[in-house]
Amino acid sequence: AQSVTQLGSHVSVSEGALVLLRCNYSSSVPPYLFWYVQYPNQGLQLLLKYTTGATLVKGINGFEAEFKKSETSFHLTKPSAHMSDAAEYFCAVSASSNTGKLIFGQGTTLQVKP
Amino acid sequence: SQTIHQWPATLVQPVGSPLSLECTVEGTSNPNLYWYRQAAGRGLQLLFYSVGIGQISSEVPQNLSASRPQDRQFILSSKKLLLSDSGFYLCAWSWETGNTIYFGEGSWLTVV
């Protein structure tokens, strides 16, 4: 079975500071990992995903994440936060390559202070 | 390009009333379709998924049901709503053999 743990339900950073959102997963098979962003009252938008290959994955809006098998982690980072990054972020894992049955973490709300 | 639409965006319904949320996908054929629910502070939970017309799998026992009358149409229903059915409902789709899901804009349901 798969599971996802996002460490920290709320993260606050200053504009221009590093953003680090933590995600750890549990999977009995090689995982497929995703980060989604949700702006208020909207659906979820895919930021980036890891399936196979390069462990450092670049996504939209300057975000990237690194798959670390030894640490079972897939942390999301951005070098410099922008006010528009304020949103809720979800990490998710899928056990299979051909299904969209994702297991989501509880989400992390990112606050960006001016 | 592919688009997904769901409606209504907001719904306030009394306890015991029926529910129908609709979702359609454009620009693709034979998509996999999903209904997720997002309750406050509880992340997203997969409710139903469908790999084809009339093929529905339920992930959790509940007061809701789903139907897929056409290839690109997915409907979430209830005969009698409960207070606990309140939440944000998200329709999503993926390619037939894909693992990335793409979400609609969501529907807020408040049961009063």
Side-chain angles (χ1 to χ4, degrees):
Chain A
Q2 286 72 40
S3 66
V4 174
T5 301
Q6 291 183 238
L7 302 177
S9 59
H10 289 83
V11 171
S12 182
V13 301
S14 298
E15 190 174 19
L18 171 71
V19 175
L20 171 60
L21 304 183
R22 300 177 186 272
C23 172
N24 287 90
Y25 70 90
S26 173
S27 179
S28 56
V29 298
Y32 295 81
L33 296 160
F34 306 81
W35 275 101
Y36 285 84
V37 60
Q38 184 181 32
Y39 299 100
N41 298 317
Q42 295 186 25
L44 278 71
Q45 179 182 9
L46 180 67
L47 272 179
L48 49 80
K49 67 178 180 181
Y50 168 80
T51 53
T52 58
T55 56
L56 182 62
V57 180
K58 295 186 183 298
I60 62 172
N61 301 338
F63 284 94
E64 62 183 34
E66 186 171 11
F67 170 61
K68 292 187 176 180
K69 183 179 179 180
S70 61
E71 299 177 9
T72 61
S73 69
F74 191 56
H75 301 332
L76 181 70
T77 61
K78 181 174 181 178
S80 178
H82 191 274
M83 296 297 292
S84 61
D85 294 326
E88 190 159 19
Y89 292 80
F90 291 93
C91 182
V93 63
S94 171
S96 172
S97 63
N98 63 353
T99 174
K101 295 171 61 178
L102 302 187
I103 305 299
F104 283 85
Q106 296 303 306
T108 298
T109 299
L110 176 65
Q111 180 187 23
V112 182
K113 297 180 291 185
Chain B
S1 63
Q2 299 76 37
T3 57
I4 178 169
H5 303 283
Q6 63 177 104
W7 68 93
T10 305
L11 198 59
V12 180
Q13 293 285 96
V15 169
S17 65
L19 171 72
S20 180
L21 299 179
E22 295 194 31
C23 171
T24 60
V25 180
E26 299 294 333
T28 184
S29 58
N30 302 317
N32 292 339
L33 297 173
Y34 310 85
W35 278 110
Y36 281 82
R37 177 169 61 195
Q38 184 177 20
R42 297 179 62 183
L44 286 87
Q45 181 183 38
L46 178 62
L47 302 177
F48 301 95
Y49 73 96
S50 172
V51 298
I53 296 174
Q55 301 178 60
I56 310 295
S57 295
S58 174
E59 292 295 296
V60 294
Q62 61 204 306
N63 185 44
L64 303 168
S65 61
S67 61
R68 185 170 177 173
Q70 301 181 42
D71 181 47
R72 293 171 293 171
Q73 183 184 24
F74 206 24
I75 299 172
L76 183 69
S77 305
S78 175
K79 292 182 179 179
K80 291 185 178 181
L81 283 168
L82 306 173
L83 287 174
S84 58
D85 293 323
S86 294
F88 192 47
Y89 290 83
L90 291 152
C91 183
W93 73 275
S94 69
W95 296 106
E96 188 176 5
T97 57
N99 59 9
T100 303
I101 58 173
Y102 302 94
F103 287 89
E105 290 301 305
S107 298
W108 276 108
L109 170 65
T110 302
V111 182
V112 296

